[in-house]
């Protein structure tokens, strides 16, 4: 669902980032609207993760400008706001060495909510990911798919405007991927913007708003792929059917 | 010279009958070393964190200096501080020489490099994603630091236990800076040195037993804590 009528709440302008001599991101401009699901593709080392970390206010670029609610801001004026509004999830999300409940409550405690409000929000988050029964389990005892869902719930509980998911399904099996895609679609329905990175233009059942591709430090917009090339299994099924 | 078995028997007798002079020495020893560790730990761990998480010119040199400082003999630390704190020295006006405070200062200097080196190893090996995750979840840098310390707690406890072990058993610095004054600056190692030189082995053995039991207790405790960490991970 693309919300083209909405004005962008965040505009990124003239972003440049380099490591030594090598330019990773070259003069990029990008804007974000509420509930927009963006697929960001690019090869290994193309700068996808770097772009996400800059967006999340975790990495300072060489040059950037932001337009936030119509006001021009530089990095120094923006990074705290970005950290408040945007949640970044690593490719392999880091869960703290404590229970699922405490992990989800981590950010809520930083917002200084009362114990009851935290409990209610954590319960809601656990319901979202259907892991209510694992609330007291230590996060190191979870499977990869469960960890990914807990990390999404932990970010969702903070009601961010944008979630940055760095290859969230790269190491998950088919079932866990499906659950993750459903979760991401739910985030979009709740008007939470999502940037989803992948090497592949195929993203299963995701309800994408746009597809941007990062190559050689520059962004290009790609047409959305509504049909996907058949998999080997599809071809076998098709032949068996005939 | 009394036999080893007779001396050991008498040592146990002294310990279990609550010999007041013996227990005063033990009390002073623990009080001085615990305070030295408590004062040094926050600075040591913070220094280790800065060295592990920030890049700045001279960082590698500082790490090398702290690693080198691990092998400084206690008596050299004692001598250096003695010169600084003696009446003619630059810090003579503080009037610290032959006080518990001087012993604490000496023990802080001794445990600081060990604390930094071990805590640095623990923090260096910690997962950098933890720092970014804490920040992206709205933690302030200070809160994120506390989160990292919690995540690396098993390694940090190891650093604290090793540092305590180093200072509770050192004799050179305490002897020079404390002066081995009865009921004031006489701690376990200096008392052992004194009693042995007098030929009174029972008290020396009793105090040695306390040190050994403490070392055993701390190692068991450390094993338990680190074992817990392994189970979780």
């Amino acid at each position: 669902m693309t919300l083209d009528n909405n004005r962008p709440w965040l505009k990124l302008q003239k972003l440049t980032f380099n490591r030594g001599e090598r330019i990773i991101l070259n003069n990029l401009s990008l804007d974000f609207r509420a509930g927009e699901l963006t697929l960001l593709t690019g090869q290994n080392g193309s700068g996808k993760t770097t772009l996400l970390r800059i967006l999340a206010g975790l990495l300072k670029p060489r040059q950037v400008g932001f337009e936030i609610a119509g006001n021009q801001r530089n990095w120094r004026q923006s990074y705290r706001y970005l950290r408040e509004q945007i949640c970044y999830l690593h490719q392999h999300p880091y869960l703290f060495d404590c229970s699922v409940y405490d992990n989800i409550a981590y950010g809520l405690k930083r917002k200084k909510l009362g114990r009851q409000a935290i409990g209610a929000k954590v319960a809601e988050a656990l319901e979202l990911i259907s892991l209510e029964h694992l609330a007291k389990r230590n996060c190191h005892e979870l499977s990869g798919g469960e960890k990914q869902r807990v990390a999404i719930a932990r970010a969702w509980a903070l009601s961010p405007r944008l979630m940055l998911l760095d290859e969230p399904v790269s190491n998950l099996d088919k079932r866990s991927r499906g659950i993750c895609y459903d979760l991401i679609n739910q985030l979009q329905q709740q008007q939470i913007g999502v940037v989803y990175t992948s090497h592949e233009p195929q993203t299963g059942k995701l309800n994408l708003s746009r597809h941007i591709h990062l190559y050689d430090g520059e962004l290009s917009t790609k047409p959305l792929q509504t049909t996907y090339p058949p998999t080997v299994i599809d071809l076998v099924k098709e032949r068996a059917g005939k | 010279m009394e036999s080893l078995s007779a001396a050991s028997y008498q040592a146990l007798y002294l310990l279990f009958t609550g010999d007041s002079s013996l227990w005063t020495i033990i009390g002073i020893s623990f009080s001085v070393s615990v305070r030295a560790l408590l004062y040094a730990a926050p600075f040591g761990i913070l220094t280790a964190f800065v060295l592990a998480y920030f890049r700045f010119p001279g960082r590698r040199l500082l790490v090398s200096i702290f690693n080198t400082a691990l092998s400084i003999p206690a008596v050299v630390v004692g001598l250096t501080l003695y010169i600084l704190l003696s009446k003619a020295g630059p810090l003579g006006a503080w009037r610290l020489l032959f006080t518990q405070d001087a012993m604490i200062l000496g023990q802080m200097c001794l445990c600081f490099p060990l604390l930094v080196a071990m805590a640095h190893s623990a923090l260096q090996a910690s997962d950098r994603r933890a720092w970014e995750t804490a920040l992206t979840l709205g933690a302030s840098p200070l809160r994120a630091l506390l989160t990292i310390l919690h995540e690396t707690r098993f390694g940090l406890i190891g650093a604290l236990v090793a540092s305590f072990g180093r200072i509770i058993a050192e004799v050179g610095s305490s002897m020079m800076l404390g002066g081995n004054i009865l009921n004031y600056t006489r701690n376990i190692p200096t008392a052992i040195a004194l009693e042995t030189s007098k030929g009174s082995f029972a008290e020396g053995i009793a105090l040695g037993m306390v040190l050994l039991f403490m070392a055993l207790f701390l190692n068991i405790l450390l094993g338990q804590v680190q074992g817990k960490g392994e189970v979780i991970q």
Side-chain angles (χ1 to χ4, degrees), chain B residues 1-8 10 199-203:
Chain B
M1 182 178 151
E2 52 198 324
S3 72
L4 186 64
S5 57
S8 303
Q10 207 187 338
S200 154
F201 291 100
E203 204 162 323

Side-chain angles (χ1 to χ4, degrees), chain B residues 90-133:
Chain B
L91 305 177
W94 291 4
R95 295 180 170 274
L96 283 181
L97 203 57
F98 304 136
T99 63
Q100 287 191 1
D101 289 342
M103 291 168 77
I104 290 172
L105 202 61
Q107 294 195 354
M108 281 172 70
C109 292
L110 276 173
C111 73
F112 192 75
L114 183 61
L115 203 53
V116 173
M118 287 190 69
H120 177 254
S121 302
L123 289 163
Q124 188 78 23
S126 68
D127 198 324
R128 298 305 158 101
R129 290 174 306 160
W131 174 254
E132 288 191 345
T133 302

